[in-house]
Amino acid sequence: MAKRSSLYIRIVEGKNLPAKDITGSSDPYCIVKVDNEPIIRTATVWKTLCPFWGEEYQVHLPPTFHAVAFYVMDEDALSRDDVIGKVCLTRDTIASHPKGFSGWAHLTEVDPDEEVQGEIHLRLEVWPGARACRLRCSVLEARDLAPKDRNGTSDPFVRVRYKGRTRETSIVKKSCYPRWNETFEFELQEGAMEALCVEAWDWDLVSRNDFLGKVVIDVQRLRVVQQEEGWFRLQPDQSKSRRHDEGNLGSLQLEVRLRDETVLPSSYYQPLVHLLCHEVKLGMQGPGQLIPLIEETTSTECRQDVATNLLKLFLGQGLAKDFLDLLFQLELSRTSETNTLFRSNSLASKSVESFLKVAGMQYLHGVLGPIINKVFEEKKYVELDPSKVEVKDVGCSGLHRPQTEAEVLEQSAQTLRAHLGALLSALSRSVRACPAVVRATFRQLFRRVRERFPGAQHENVPFIAVTSFLCLRFFSPAIMSPKLFHLRERHADARTSRTLLLLAKAVQNVGNMDTPASRAKEAWMEPLQPTVRQGVAQLKDFITKLVDIEEKDELDLQRTLSLQAPPVKEGPLFIHRTKGKGPLMSSSFKKLYFSLTTEALSFAKTPSSKCVNELNQWLSALRKVSINNTGLLGSYHPGVFRGDKWSCCHQKEKTGWSAVVQSRLTAISVSQAQVILLPQPPKYYRRKPLHPVRAAIRPGHG
């Protein structure tokens, strides 16, 4: 049994930040630290004092964490980044809000003497003496001290103070995990109320020593217990008077929700897994009580989490398509009006939304990526709403005339028509690129809706059912917020954001099949109507081809496209490096691109590259640890044994599966193969060049 804490973090926006640049603005970004360990870095929003991030994170932490701190920084290209301020939320503060902390928090000044971390191991004893009792303090060791020097370490020593007397340990060079094993004694007087103070410092030859934290011991309590030993958490120095500057540094809007979880051994969950899988396999032919019960008892706030977890469970069992098909049938059975079909935040809607993000993210990047990049590169001023048009100067040197409103509207319409046309053309050509499991799922949705709403008057309903997910819940949100879908590394500026918003609206109109209701909402979108009408015909033709996939074609296409499993999550991660002076420098982060699928975990320096050197290290390590494994497979399988068959060749025999390798399974995609990773390559395998991939795996598979 294991305990862990799950922390949901949403960094929404900031306001009224101070200007740190000579231009009168700032380039703010956020760093999130848990117990002074950086774990998150947001994008930089350029040239603004009221930045919007809108970034969400889900992190799993040990239940013993103490606090979460949000630092707002100003990025500088030529000098060290400026610290604007911070918001600190203790674990108790977050836990006191059952639905999570949500709201604005004032930024406070960052004091170096409060930026402490780590623990110190002390042994404290009170001994009777000839004239008075003696206090013995043994400073044994410390761990996880803050790195204060440029080499990513510190030179720590400990200062022990009691009743005006000060003793110091020796200095341990270049270590955040020092050992001292030094003992100091002080004379105790009857009735003395002064506390024992143990301070950790980083020694510097030239500049002033840096404070690392302190522990204050209640001597009166120690007299009672006589002896105490353990690890004491280092605390900040709060004795100095602070400036009352709350509000002067701006505010940060946050949403933070804490959930404590107890994770049992996997065997405890198997009866529930088997029960869920059995119900999904039976579909509507079975009793059908469990899935509807889950939906009825799930609140709106946690329905997305439930949908995501169920989807991942059924993906792992190879039953995602069957699970979604069951949800389609349940929703259709209680829907009588076509205009409300799949428009609520039901379990079906949330599950398909999660499914597309898991199985269709790579497909989304292939279709939308070039269009989004072109919008960012052009940076054109685009506006269709006459009430928001800004008239600007155009012309050449010596001859300027104001651009009329009609010219702005016409140029904007031309730009949007070009982007929309390019997107629809790319979508029409992407049928074969769409993952087979996505096509099969939409095939089931199309059929179920057509069976539920037959007749010529409902001709468009099956198409709208598909586009309600594909366009309204997948493509449109990605167009409006490309960074959240890893299409761009940074948020768009105000001009580009407006272009993306108008393009997303046009895609929504196409997805709604250009209904009169959608046209009536915003009449100023009328210049796009010819392209929208043409897009409706293109989209219907695309969906017709998309859902035209049979079981045999599905298996063949799956083999062709999905030797690389669909990504569960992918994108850049910032890896903290203990280099540089201070923990908040942007240069202390290294960016790597990670891709997590249902079968593999891979990373690289760029989205298209592979870390071949580290791969060879893993392969060499695997050869050595597997050399004596008698249960090794007779032939190589690039897939995984999921449900009751191999995902690569659909064989149903699992003979000879390596118990050694299976117990340490994490896979990484290499060319057209999968290799198995240990948690970390042994150090002695890293000292010399390793053999290439050719000897790592046996060619072919059963």
Side-chain angles (χ1 to χ4, degrees), residues 117-124 137-145 156-160 169-170 172 175-184 198-201 212-213 215 229-234:
Q117 68 182 61
E119 298 173 304
I120 188 168
H121 188 186
L122 302 174
R123 184 188 300 121
L124 304 163
C137 176
S138 298
V139 182
L140 304 179
E141 57 184 324
R143 62 189 180 193
D144 195 29
L145 297 180
F157 69 95
V158 174
R159 183 177 295 159
V160 184
T169 68
S170 58
V172 179
S175 176
C176 293
Y177 293 81
R179 288 176 176 270
W180 291 284
N181 290 322
E182 299 183 28
T183 301
F184 308 104
V198 181
E199 299 174 344
W201 291 83
L212 295 176
V215 176
E229 180 179 351
W231 287 93
F232 295 83
R233 183 166 185 81
L234 293 171

Side-chain angles (χ1 to χ4, degrees), residues 467-494:
T467 60
S468 66
F469 293 116
L470 191 63
C471 294
L472 275 62
R473 293 179 179 264
F474 194 41
F475 278 89
S476 289
I479 294 171
M480 288 189 288
S481 302
K483 183 184 181 299
L484 301 185
F485 286 76
H486 308 298
L487 287 163
R488 298 289 296 186
E489 291 188 11
R490 301 185 184 278
H491 288 292
D493 56 27

Side-chain angles (χ1 to χ4, degrees), residues 119-242:
E119 298 173 304
I120 188 168
H121 188 186
L122 302 174
R123 184 188 300 121
L124 304 163
E125 301 169 287
V126 174
W127 289 84
R131 293 182 299 175
C133 291
R134 306 287 295 176
L135 171 61
R136 180 179 296 172
C137 176
S138 298
V139 182
L140 304 179
E141 57 184 324
R143 62 189 180 193
D144 195 29
L145 297 180
K148 293 291 186 178
D149 298 335
R150 292 186 180 276
N151 59 13
T153 63
S154 291
D155 303 320
F157 69 95
V158 174
R159 183 177 295 159
V160 184
R161 294 189 289 107
Y162 180 69
K163 288 187 69 65
R165 294 186 60 195
T166 302
R167 306 288 296 275
E168 293 183 355
T169 68
S170 58
I171 299 169
V172 179
K173 294 294 187 66
K174 299 180 182 179
S175 176
C176 293
Y177 293 81
R179 288 176 176 270
W180 291 284
N181 290 322
E182 299 183 28
T183 301
F184 308 104
E185 289 192 3
F186 301 91
E187 183 176 318
L188 285 179
Q189 295 180 357
E190 289 294 334
M193 303 297 292
E194 190 168 342
L196 175 73
C197 184
V198 181
E199 299 174 344
W201 291 83
D202 167 54
W203 177 83
D204 285 323
L205 178 62
V206 179
S207 59
R208 61 183 287 269
N209 295 335
D210 297 312
F211 180 73
L212 295 176
K214 70 177 183 179
V215 176
V216 178
I217 306 296
D218 185 353
V219 176
Q220 294 299 318
R221 187 183 64 83
L222 187 60
R223 278 179 180 272
V224 176
V225 298
Q226 294 292 307
Q227 184 176 353
E228 185 175 5
E229 180 179 351
W231 287 93
F232 295 83
R233 183 166 185 81
L234 293 171
Q235 301 296 327
D237 184 8
Q238 298 177 333
S239 59
K240 297 187 300 183
S241 59
R242 294 181 54 86

Side-chain angles (χ1 to χ4, degrees), residues 237-256:
D237 184 8
Q238 298 177 333
S239 59
K240 297 187 300 183
S241 59
R242 294 181 54 86
R243 290 184 297 176
H244 298 285
D245 53 3
E246 284 196 3
N248 297 333
L249 298 177
S251 303
L252 193 62
Q253 187 180 8
L254 301 168
E255 294 178 15
V256 184

Side-chain angles (χ1 to χ4, degrees), residues 9-152:
I9 296 173
R10 183 165 188 255
I11 304 172
V12 186
E13 61 181 322
K15 67 178 181 182
N16 302 328
L17 301 182
K20 291 291 184 178
D21 301 335
I22 58 175
T23 59
S25 186
S26 292
D27 304 315
Y29 66 92
C30 289
I31 288 178
V32 182
K33 298 172 70 178
V34 175
D35 291 342
N36 284 345
E37 179 67 24
I39 61 169
I40 293 169
R41 185 198 191 279
T42 69
T44 301
V45 184
W46 303 100
K47 296 184 175 66
T48 180
L49 301 180
C50 296
F52 176 82
W53 291 286
E55 298 190 17
E56 299 181 7
Y57 304 91
Q58 187 88 21
V59 294
H60 297 291
L61 305 169
T64 55
F65 84 93
H66 295 82
V68 181
F70 301 83
Y71 293 81
V72 180
M73 311 289 294
D74 169 56
E75 183 167 333
D76 289 323
L78 302 178
S79 62
R80 183 174 176 176
D81 293 352
D82 299 314
V83 183
I84 295 176
K86 76 169 185 177
V87 172
C88 187
L89 299 175
T90 65
R91 191 186 196 285
D92 293 338
T93 300
I94 303 172
S96 64
H97 297 78
K99 294 187 177 181
F101 172 86
S102 178
W104 290 92
H106 291 298
L107 293 171
T108 59
E109 182 186 13
V110 175
D111 186 342
D113 287 347
E114 291 190 5
E115 304 303 301
V116 303
Q117 68 182 61
E119 298 173 304
I120 188 168
H121 188 186
L122 302 174
R123 184 188 300 121
L124 304 163
E125 301 169 287
V126 174
W127 289 84
R131 293 182 299 175
C133 291
R134 306 287 295 176
L135 171 61
R136 180 179 296 172
C137 176
S138 298
V139 182
L140 304 179
E141 57 184 324
R143 62 189 180 193
D144 195 29
L145 297 180
K148 293 291 186 178
D149 298 335
R150 292 186 180 276
N151 59 13

Side-chain angles (χ1 to χ4, degrees), residues 435-627:
V437 65
V438 175
R439 293 184 62 183
T441 301
F442 281 141
R443 176 197 63 202
Q444 293 299 105
L445 173 62
F446 192 89
R447 289 178 177 176
R448 298 299 183 191
V449 174
R450 189 167 56 185
E451 291 169 1
R452 176 67 179 82
F453 296 102
Q457 70 274 24
H458 299 307
E459 178 186 359
N460 284 338
V461 176
F463 294 97
I464 294 177
V466 174
T467 60
S468 66
F469 293 116
L470 191 63
C471 294
L472 275 62
R473 293 179 179 264
F474 194 41
F475 278 89
S476 289
I479 294 171
M480 288 189 288
S481 302
K483 183 184 181 299
L484 301 185
F485 286 76
H486 308 298
L487 287 163
R488 298 289 296 186
E489 291 188 11
R490 301 185 184 278
H491 288 292
D493 56 27
R495 175 176 290 188
T496 306
S497 293
R498 183 60 180 171
T499 304
L500 294 173
L501 176 62
L502 293 173
L503 180 59
K505 287 179 178 290
V507 171
Q508 289 174 357
N509 286 345
V510 176
N512 287 325
M513 297 294 157
D514 191 29
T515 58
S518 63
R519 290 198 302 269
K521 289 181 180 178
E522 292 160 334
W524 42 265
M525 295 284 288
E526 181 64 30
L528 300 184
Q529 283 308 117
T531 309
V532 170
R533 282 192 290 269
Q534 182 182 353
V536 170
Q538 287 179 272
L539 192 59
K540 292 179 70 173
D541 181 63
F542 163 75
I543 293 174
T544 302
K545 295 176 181 177
L546 187 75
V547 301
D548 185 18
I549 179 173
E550 300 301 329
E551 291 291 340
K552 181 180 181 302
D553 298 330
E554 179 186 346
L555 294 177
D556 293 340
L557 189 59
Q558 189 72 42
R559 289 173 185 170
T560 304
L561 295 180
S562 67
L563 283 178
Q564 298 176 348
V568 175
K569 189 172 182 61
E570 61 182 355
L573 289 178
F574 290 89
I575 309 302
H576 178 55
R577 299 182 297 186
T578 54
K579 290 184 179 180
K581 181 70 174 177
L584 297 178
M585 291 186 64
S586 60
S587 60
S588 64
F589 287 88
K590 176 183 178 183
K591 180 187 287 187
L592 290 176
Y593 289 84
F594 280 77
S595 177
L596 174 65
T597 75
T598 55
E599 302 175 3
L601 172 64
S602 60
F603 68 93
K605 294 180 180 178
T606 64
S608 57
S609 66
K610 293 182 175 68
C611 295
V612 178
N613 290 337
E614 295 199 28
L615 163 66
N616 290 338
Q617 294 170 9
W618 290 116
L619 293 176
S620 179
L622 283 167
R623 277 188 231 106
K624 288 179 171 62
V625 299
S626 301
I627 193 169

